[in-house]
Amino acid sequence: MTTTISQARAVATRNYLLYDTGDVAGVDEVFAPDVIDHNPVPGTSTGIEGMRFLVGEVRNGFSDTRHEIVFQEELPGGWVVNHWRMTAVHTGDAFGLAASGRPVSLTGTDIVRVVDGRITEIYHVEELLQMRLQLTA
């Protein structure tokens, strides 16, 4: 039996490649220009500029970044739920933390809506306390 991946799941998965490769320019291919980020980083916009900021911060602050999708489920209406784990090394300044050279592993959950091949809405929760403890302890 062959399993096919829907367009919504493929786009939701490609989102993580942006972070792993640091491809800020790719944000325009994955996210709609008027994307709604329901959990923007404080001080950033909810739109595509906020998504560019996130990808750029990860690119600038971490090396050897790798996302693994632990769980993925597609729901009606183009919605996709992803639970993921990111591993990386904190080699640059990011999110207000000076480079520590320490490895980090954290998990998060994203709920995205894909319309016409791009993410139009995103809810995301990252275990930032987990990350902060690893980088500052």
Side-chain angles (χ1 to χ4, degrees), residues 35-49:
V35 61
I36 299 169
D37 181 351
H38 292 279
N39 312 92
V41 172
T44 64
S45 69
T46 181
I48 200 160
E49 287 302 321

Side-chain angles (χ1 to χ4, degrees), residues 61-127:
F62 299 90
S63 60
D64 301 324
T65 306
R66 182 176 175 275
H67 281 80
E68 169 194 4
I69 296 176
V70 177
F71 171 84
Q72 185 177 65
E73 183 70 31
E74 186 171 358
L75 304 171
W79 290 96
V80 179
V81 177
N82 289 314
H83 183 66
W84 50 265
R85 173 175 312 285
M86 182 188 99
T87 57
V89 179
H90 186 220
T91 54
D93 298 348
F95 303 109
L97 295 171
S100 67
R102 295 180 178 175
V104 64
S105 175
L106 70 140
T107 58
T109 301
D110 296 340
I111 304 169
V112 301
R113 183 167 190 220
V114 177
V115 176
D116 296 329
R118 291 189 181 164
I119 296 173
T120 59
E121 288 186 70
I122 182 169
Y123 295 85
H124 53 97
V125 178
E126 300 85 13
E127 293 187 359

